[in-house]
Amino acid sequence: MEIGSFTLLSPEDFSFNFNNNSDFSWFLDMENGNNRKRGRKDFEEDLVNEKSGFGGTLSSILMLDGEAKQEEEIQWFTDSDQRTTFFESGYNEKVEEMNGFFDQFESQYSEMNQLDNSRNKRARKSVLTDTTAAANMVPVGSENASPSQSGIGSGQQRRLWVKDRSKDWWDKCNHPDFPDEEFKRAFRMSKATFNMVCEELEPAVMKKNTMLRDAIPVRQRVAVCIWRLATGEPLRMVSKRFGLGISTCHKLVLEVSAAIKTVLMPKFVQWPDEIKTKRTKQEFESATGIPNVGGSMYTTHIPIIAPKASVAAYFNKKHTERNQKTSYSITLQGVTDQNGAFTDVCIGWPGSMSDDQVLKKSAFYQRATRGYLRDVWVVGNKGYPLMDQVLVPYNHQNLTWAQHAFNEKIAEIEKVGKEAFARLKGRWSCLQKRTEMKLQDLPNVLGACCVLHNICEMRNETMDPELKFELFDDEVVPENNIRSMAAAQARDHIAHNLLHHGGRATSAGFL
């Protein structure tokens, strides 16, 4: 191993080098570094000590803050309970005040109600004792709507808005001195017949007076309906004639028509009993020579406005072709006696139905098929089928003398029913025009016309010749209208007897 040589320093050199700051500064730096290391360690220890002391202080602050929050919460709950107690006490006081006010109001209301009832009673007594004074208490206003006052009761006045409409025409007609001929021209019946109708309908149509206005009298109610049916005038004209509102007139027409159908139809439109049927047979046989004829049947059509539903069902092809414009109608079928009064009616079926189809819907058909009609013929036109109880003319070509003679006699009986329907439409002109009434209201109106027709016929009310209406034959002749071979044989037998017995048949030809 080889060791290199180095120069040894002398003590002078050594001391010199130590005294030389520039050459031996690294010794000083080393010493300072050691001192800094010791200072940093002491600083870190002091910092640790300071942190531990700060943590304790922070924990103390947090504990104090939590205690303060708890105290605040306790104080808030205490204040909330106090406020709740305060509000509850105030609420209870308000409730007691409202209950007291309500009791006071209820007592005052009961006193006012009793007072009003006593006034109503006194008002009714005063009206019953003095109708003239009561009428003057509710005067009619001016032409425009104006308030009128009535002093009924204990002096308190009530205001009522009434539009002044002239009732001069009706007051004139209702006067006892009004000529009967003019009355009959307006209402299609005499005063005596009109009075009878009013007496029959009074329990059904009479209304009571109220505190605001007097009820419309029964005579005026009935007159509004009859004049509307007789003339067919629009409701605007009815309103002017009778001094009533348009809506009031419309309501009266419907109410009185329904009352006529409900009250009077069972009395004046009914199938005859045995005694009346026997008398009808005798009169028809004496006039035509055909035995056992109990009535004449016919079907007419009443024009209507196109309905909103089932338009095709109400389309009338015959009327459309004849009038050259689209027409809609409903049917009215009836059986009449020898005087032209209805004994059976079937109302309201769509106008597209044939006479045969309408017949099947009638009460007469139900009675006939169930065997309730025996030894009775009802004569119809070519549109009806030949049945056991329905006698119709021959409708084929190349008729024999017997068949031709039979058709002539049948035509005379058909004429009775057809003329009855002509008088019905002539007397009640509303049946000639398209009506604006709803379909559900028409059966009552048509039924009322039939009832009023019977009343006029039974009371021998003559009709003005100017009101005569001409009917057109609308029947659709079926290809084969024979529904019973026995009825066909009976018809042939009647035709043979008519020809060989001097225009009179024997009863042997009936089934």
Side-chain angles (χ1 to χ4, degrees):
M1 179 178 181
E2 185 176 358
I3 300 173
S5 62
F6 58 89
T7 304
L8 295 174
L9 297 176
S10 63
E12 292 82 4
D13 295 333
F14 183 80
S15 60
F16 173 79
N17 291 331
F18 269 93
N19 292 327
N20 193 350
N21 294 333
S22 61
D23 293 336
F24 295 97
S25 61
W26 56 280
F27 287 104
L28 297 175
D29 296 335
M30 186 179 296
E31 186 65 20
N32 293 330
N34 294 329
N35 293 332
R36 284 194 296 271
K37 289 180 179 179
R38 287 194 299 270
R40 186 179 294 111
K41 185 181 294 182
D42 295 336
F43 175 75
E44 290 176 356
E45 292 177 357
D46 294 338
L47 183 62
V48 171
N49 294 330
E50 289 178 358
K51 287 182 177 180
S52 61
F54 180 75
T57 302
L58 181 62
S59 63
S60 299
I61 293 171
L62 293 175
M63 290 178 62
L64 292 174
D65 185 54
E67 292 177 356
K69 288 183 178 180
Q70 291 179 358
E71 292 178 357
E72 290 179 357
E73 291 177 355
I74 293 172
Q75 184 65 28
W76 184 85
F77 282 116
T78 303
D79 296 339
S80 177
D81 292 338
Q82 293 177 355
R83 287 193 296 270
T84 302
T85 304
F86 174 75
F87 286 135
E88 287 180 352
S89 62
Y91 173 75
N92 293 331
E93 292 178 358
K94 294 293 184 182
V95 169
E96 291 178 358
E97 292 179 1
M98 291 298 295
N99 289 334
F101 175 77
F102 178 76
D103 294 338
Q104 183 180 3
F105 176 78
E106 189 175 12
S107 62
Q108 292 179 356
Y109 178 79
S110 62
E111 292 176 358
M112 293 176 63
N113 192 16
Q114 293 177 359
L115 180 61
D116 190 47
N117 290 335
S118 63
R119 289 173 179 171
N120 292 340
K121 291 180 181 179
R122 289 195 296 270
R124 293 190 187 98
K125 290 180 181 179
S126 62
V127 170
L128 292 175
T129 55
D130 192 359
T131 57
T132 305
N136 294 330
M137 289 179 189
V138 187
V140 182
S142 60
E143 180 64 23
N144 297 325
S146 62
S148 63
Q149 299 178 349
S150 84
I152 299 176
S154 61
Q156 182 181 2
Q157 294 180 345
R158 293 192 176 189
R159 302 175 65 191
L160 171 63
W161 290 87
V162 179
K163 183 175 181 180
D164 184 18
R165 294 182 175 91
S166 176
K167 299 181 181 179
D168 294 341
W169 183 84
W170 165 241
D171 293 338
K172 182 180 178 181
C173 293
N174 196 33
H175 196 274
D177 296 335
F178 189 71
D180 192 70
E181 289 296 328
E182 294 185 15
F183 187 92
K184 188 174 182 179
R185 188 178 298 109
F187 296 95
R188 308 297 194 261
M189 61 181 64
S190 63
K191 288 184 178 181
T193 302
F194 179 81
N195 293 337
M196 185 273 294
V197 173
C198 292
E199 292 176 0
E200 293 284 345
L201 296 179
E202 183 174 1
V205 302
M206 183 177 61
K207 303 295 182 181
K208 295 182 179 180
N209 296 335
T210 64
M211 289 295 296
L212 295 180
R213 58 171 58 87
D214 292 338
I216 302 173
V218 173
R219 291 179 61 85
Q220 189 174 4
R221 289 174 174 270
V222 177
V224 168
C225 178
I226 293 180
W227 194 80
R228 162 79 163 148
L229 300 181
T231 62
E233 294 291 344
L235 292 171
R236 175 175 51 83
M237 295 300 298
V238 182
S239 174
K240 290 183 178 180
R241 289 281 187 174
F242 291 90
L244 301 172
I246 294 177
S247 59
T248 303
C249 294
H250 179 66
K251 183 179 179 181
L252 290 178
V253 171
L254 297 182
E255 288 181 354
V256 177
S257 297
I260 292 174
K261 183 179 179 183
T262 303
V263 178
L264 300 183
M265 180 171 281
K267 296 181 180 180
F268 295 97
V269 181
Q270 56 184 348
W271 191 258
D273 55 17
E274 293 184 0
I275 298 176
K276 293 182 179 179
T277 301
K278 183 178 181 180
R279 184 168 59 251
T280 302
K281 290 180 180 180
Q282 293 175 352
E283 293 192 10
F284 274 121
E285 185 174 3
S286 62
T288 62
I290 300 178
N292 298 320
V293 175
S296 176
M297 184 165 51
Y298 189 81
T299 300
T300 189
H301 289 255
I302 309 301
I304 61 172
I305 298 175
K308 296 181 179 180
S310 304
V311 179
Y314 293 90
F315 175 73
N316 191 312
K317 184 178 178 181
K318 285 282 186 179
H319 286 196
T320 300
E321 293 176 353
R322 184 173 66 246
N323 301 330
Q324 295 299 313
K325 63 178 180 179
T326 305
S327 301
Y328 302 90
S329 66
I330 61 174
T331 60
L332 172 58
Q333 177 186 282
V335 179
T336 65
D337 59 12
Q338 72 282 4
N339 298 319
F342 293 106
T343 57
D344 182 86
V345 290
C346 182
I347 303 170
W349 291 99
S352 63
M353 297 176 63
S354 63
D355 295 350
D356 184 9
Q357 293 172 329
V358 177
L359 173 63
K360 293 180 180 179
K361 304 294 184 180
S362 65
F364 163 75
Y365 183 84
Q366 300 299 325
R367 286 193 293 265
T369 55
R370 293 175 184 176
Y372 296 152
L373 302 180
R374 296 183 179 276
D375 300 334
V376 176
W377 286 113
V378 173
V379 174
N381 55 33
K382 298 178 181 179
Y384 295 104
L386 178 63
M387 299 170 51
D388 291 339
Q389 280 77 30
V390 179
L391 188 62
V392 299
Y394 294 95
N395 60 357
H396 58 269
Q397 297 179 354
N398 302 322
L399 299 178
T400 63
W401 286 105
Q403 293 172 348
H404 183 73
F406 175 82
N407 282 0
E408 288 182 350
K409 297 297 182 179
I410 287 292
E412 295 180 11
I413 302 176
E414 289 180 20
K415 186 179 179 181
V416 175
K418 188 174 181 179
E419 289 182 348
F421 274 91
R423 290 195 300 274
L424 173 72
K425 284 192 171 184
R427 182 177 279 123
W428 312 111
S429 300
C430 66
L431 304 179
Q432 305 175 20
K433 306 174 183 178
R434 293 192 303 173
T435 178
E436 71 280 0
M437 294 182 185
K438 298 179 181 179
L439 283 177
Q440 58 266 28
D441 296 330
L442 282 177
N444 287 337
V445 175
L446 299 183
C449 291
C450 294
V451 173
L452 295 174
H453 167 84
N454 274 15
I455 293 175
C456 293
E457 294 292 327
M458 293 176 182
R459 296 176 67 90
N460 298 321
E461 296 283 354
T462 59
M463 193 176 70
D464 191 343
E466 296 179 357
L467 300 176
K468 185 178 180 180
F469 183 78
E470 182 179 0
L471 290 176
F472 296 93
D473 293 330
D474 296 326
E475 71 271 9
V476 178
V477 181
E479 295 181 357
N480 184 11
N481 66 343
I482 299 177
R483 303 294 173 82
S484 172
M485 295 304 299
Q489 295 177 0
R491 183 176 63 176
D492 294 339
H493 184 76
I494 294 174
H496 181 269
N497 289 338
L498 286 174
L499 183 63
H500 293 85
H501 292 82
R504 302 186 63 84
T506 61
S507 58
F510 190 77
L511 294 175

